Amino acid sequence: MLSVLSHYDGTSMRVIGTLSSLYPRRDEGWEYHMHRYSLLTRSQKVAIAGFLEALSKLVGLNFEDQKIVPRALRNYWGEYLPSNAKE
C-alpha cells in the first residue's frame, strides 16, 4: 500500500494487484478473499480501510481505480472506517 501511495501508476501490475486484492466481489472468489481477510487483525483492517478512503485524495486515480476503490469500501472495508467501526 505504501508503494501505491509513493509511486501510483494505474497501469502497473503492482498497483493493479494491490487494489484487486482489496476488492472482494460477491462471486466465486468471495470465500477466498474472506479467508485471507480473516487472517488480518482488526488494526490492520482499520489501516486498510483508511488507506482506501484516503487514496483518491492523495493520488490521481485512473478511471478504473476510481470505481474499484469505493466498491472495495462498500463491499467490505467500509465497516472498518473509524466512523463505522464497532468496538
Side-chain angles (χ1 to χ4, degrees):
M1 293 185 314
L2 292 174
S3 176
V4 170
L5 287 173
S6 298
H7 307 287
Y8 176 80
D9 174 0
T11 62
S12 164
M13 288 308 296
R14 172 185 47 81
V15 173
I16 293 168
T18 300
L19 295 183
S20 293
S21 70
L22 298 176
Y23 176 30
R25 295 173 191 86
R26 294 197 181 269
D27 60 12
E28 65 278 351
W30 182 259
E31 291 302 319
Y32 171 76
H33 282 291
M34 293 305 105
H35 172 70
R36 289 178 55 205
Y37 300 162
S38 74
L39 302 174
L40 299 169
T41 66
R42 179 160 192 76
S43 295
Q44 290 169 322
K45 291 175 184 179
V46 169
I48 292 168
F51 163 78
L52 290 169
E53 182 180 45
L55 187 59
S56 65
K57 298 171 189 130
L58 299 172
V59 300
L61 296 175
N62 69 19
F63 180 75
E64 186 64 25
D65 293 342
Q66 288 176 19
K67 296 186 297 186
I68 287 174
V69 170
R71 289 175 183 171
L73 284 164
R74 179 194 68 215
N75 288 1
Y76 184 79
W77 300 105
E79 73 178 270
Y80 296 99
L81 291 173
S83 59
N84 298 337
K86 298 171 185 134
E87 300 293 321

